Amino acid sequence: MPGLMSWTTATSLLLSSWITICSARPSSYAEWAADSAIRRKQGNGLDTSGSAIVSYEHGELQWGLRQLYEKTGNKTYYNYIVTGANNIVYDNGTVHGSYTISEYTLDPVRTGPTFLYLYQQTKQQKWKTAADTFKTQLNGHPRTAQGQFWHKKRYPNQGWLDGIYMGDVFYAQYTKDFQASNQTAWTDIVSQFSLMYQNTLQQPGAANYTGLLYHGYDYSHTAIWASSDRGHSPEIWDRALGWYLMALVDVLDIIPPSDAGRPKLLDILTTLAPRLRDAADPSSGVWWLVITQPGRAGNYFESSGSAMYVYALLKGVRQGYILDPDGSVVAAAKKAYQYMTSHWVVANADGTMSWTNTVQVGSLDGNADYAYYIGVPQVLNDLKGLAAFLLASLEYEKL
């Protein structure tokens, strides 16, 4: 019965391969995600051509690797952070690799927390000098008349949710480390969150109301997409909201417990958390790419935003920032996480994992309409999504 023997042999080989893959992968999804990124040389301060690049994605991954190192004691993760940072900072502390302060973009500043962390660990002056460069940028960074940092100099008067994560986690940590009594700085940091919230909060009566935050706003009302009331963009894009929520729970760890502005940050988080819970797709438990258009043709469940939400919700509850008396917030985050691991994690033959369904980018550089968001391609193993999954996994594994 050669046909049967052939089928049996093939099945046996497939089963053997699957057992090998499963036995090779770590039991922790956080470690599996980190180890896979490291195997692929992602987030190491270099672009795909090997040139130095100051990338917020790399800063996001390094934030996760730092927590993983603190959890496991595995020096591989710490050493990878050092390698990545060394690739973009010369020995004299000069930040290089595509970074120029005169561009006044918040995105590169997301690598700043890595410099501060390495200075804490090593006391090497180069890391303090590199961090000072980003603080100098923030000191002169253009702002709206209300005081909101522009996302980039080439987008005058525009505040994007993304920029809160890029700039203000660093701003808070730098203030804590070197200017802890600088009340003006703490007030300014809280103001960055508050102004973004006020200007992008979806109001009752809006179409597809969720009470969450639009992607960004133009204080000058001159952008093609700016609304007539506050100048906000027309859609709630999942990853922009994810950046903002992650920044909230991270900065709440940093800002002094006695700071007068801290209750404002807590109020924003506790207002948004149940609305985010309720905005999840009831069947899958995860979130749509364009949250304001659930189920519309072309929309899909997007993985980076969903992972960011799981991280923010679980960390918020764990740290006591979000009250969850009925357990519904944690239950929603757990449901989403289980969908993520069963649908977006792919085991590879080499023992690594791949991560799917992450949208490549989202910008307010065009008309910011629905067709734009769904037209952006998805990227396999996009670091913005993989690093968010690492962070979500760290929190899930602490449950």
Side-chain angles (χ1 to χ4, degrees):
M1 300 174 65
L4 180 60
M5 288 293 292
S6 175
W7 180 86
T8 303
T9 302
T11 302
S12 204
L13 286 170
L14 281 170
L15 182 60
S16 175
S17 298
W18 178 249
I19 291 171
T20 301
I21 291 170
C22 291
S23 62
R25 59 147 291 195
S27 59
S28 158
Y29 275 104
E31 292 180 50
W32 198 16
D35 295 349
S36 299
I38 291 171
R39 282 273 296 275
R40 290 190 289 264
K41 299 182 178 179
Q42 294 181 273
N44 64 352
L46 304 175
D47 63 18
T48 53
S49 66
S51 300
I53 182 171
V54 184
S55 166
Y56 65 87
E57 302 175 36
H58 296 197
E60 182 193 6
L61 176 68
Q62 289 159 359
W63 188 261
L65 293 179
R66 164 183 165 180
Q67 294 183 46
L68 199 53
Y69 168 59
E70 291 166 352
K71 173 188 173 185
T72 66
N74 185 339
K75 205 70 183 285
T76 299
Y77 303 127
Y78 176 79
N79 291 339
Y80 199 75
I81 296 170
V82 174
T83 297
N86 274 325
N87 280 333
I88 59 172
V89 179
Y90 291 131
D91 289 344
N92 67 359
T94 299
V95 183
H96 63 100
S98 75
Y99 175 74
T100 52
I101 194 170
S102 61
E103 290 184 353
Y104 287 106
T105 171
L106 292 175
D107 288 346
V109 179
R110 190 58 192 79
T111 58
T114 296
F115 304 158
L116 295 172
Y117 174 67
L118 292 178
Y119 182 70
Q120 292 168 356
Q121 297 297 307
T122 68
K123 298 304 177 186
Q124 286 183 271
Q125 182 59 36
K126 67 179 286 187
W127 303 121
K128 172 66 163 56
T129 301
D132 287 343
T133 298
F134 286 159
K135 184 57 167 58
T136 298
Q137 175 186 324
L138 292 183
N139 290 343
H141 201 92
R143 298 171 180 250
T144 68
Q146 291 180 307
Q148 184 90 68
F149 288 134
W150 297 1
H151 189 65
K152 298 182 182 182
K153 186 173 75 171
R154 67 189 185 96
Y155 302 133
N157 286 294
Q158 292 183 23
W160 300 8
L161 297 181
D162 321 35
I164 296 291
Y165 185 76
M166 305 311 164
D168 290 293
V169 179
F170 166 76
Y171 190 3
Q173 190 66 56
Y174 187 98
T175 301
K176 179 180 181 180
D177 290 352
F178 305 115
Q179 303 174 353
S181 61
N182 185 346
Q183 189 54 52
T184 300
W186 290 121
T187 300
D188 189 29
I189 291 162
V190 173
S191 179
Q192 296 303 313
F193 283 91
S194 298
L195 288 170
M196 191 67 70
Y197 180 77
Q198 294 164 19
N199 285 293
T200 64
L201 181 66
Q202 190 185 34
Q203 302 289 357
N208 300 313
Y209 175 71
T210 63
L212 297 171
L213 307 183
Y214 294 108
H215 187 168
Y217 72 100
D218 175 9
Y219 186 68
S220 68
H221 290 57
T222 57
I224 189 174
W225 43 258
S227 67
S228 58
D229 57 348
R230 289 163 293 147
H232 63 74
S233 57
E235 303 289 0
I236 294 174
W237 177 52
D238 72 323
R239 188 159 70 224
L241 181 61
W243 293 128
Y244 184 88
L245 288 165
M246 290 204 301
L248 265 177
V249 295
D250 290 343
V251 167
L252 280 165
D253 284 350
I254 301 168
I255 192 170
S258 60
D259 187 85
R262 184 184 179 86
K264 178 60 181 177
L265 299 184
L266 287 168
D267 181 61
I268 292 172
L269 181 60
T270 55
T271 298
L272 294 177
R275 296 177 182 179
L276 181 67
R277 174 200 63 202
D278 295 345
D281 173 68
S283 176
S284 66
V286 293
W287 289 265
W288 295 93
L289 171 78
V290 182
I291 292 178
T292 26
Q293 304 283 349
R296 183 173 171 181
N299 209 355
Y300 58 90
F301 300 143
E302 201 278 328
S303 64
S304 67
S306 293
M308 291 172 178
Y309 299 160
V310 170
Y311 171 75
L313 292 174
L314 290 182
K315 180 175 180 178
V317 173
R318 177 175 61 81
Q319 293 288 73
Y321 307 145
I322 299 170
L323 299 181
D324 187 29
D326 63 357
S328 62
V329 173
V330 168
K334 288 173 68 174
K335 181 177 180 179
Y337 186 81
Q338 288 155 9
Y339 181 94
M340 286 158 46
T341 55
S342 60
H343 288 78
W344 296 332
V345 173
V346 178
N348 299 318
D350 63 358
T352 64
M353 60 153 278
S354 286
W355 178 254
T356 68
N357 277 61
T358 295
V359 68
Q360 183 178 37
V361 74
S363 173
L364 294 176
D365 194 20
N367 60 9
D369 63 2
Y370 177 73
Y372 161 72
Y373 286 108
I374 65 168
V376 177
Q378 298 173 34
V379 177
L380 182 68
N381 294 322
D382 187 288
L383 197 55
K384 296 180 286 295
L386 183 64
F389 176 65
L390 163 56
L391 290 166
S393 297
L394 282 164
E395 287 300 326
Y396 186 85
E397 290 163 12
K398 289 176 182 177
L399 284 174

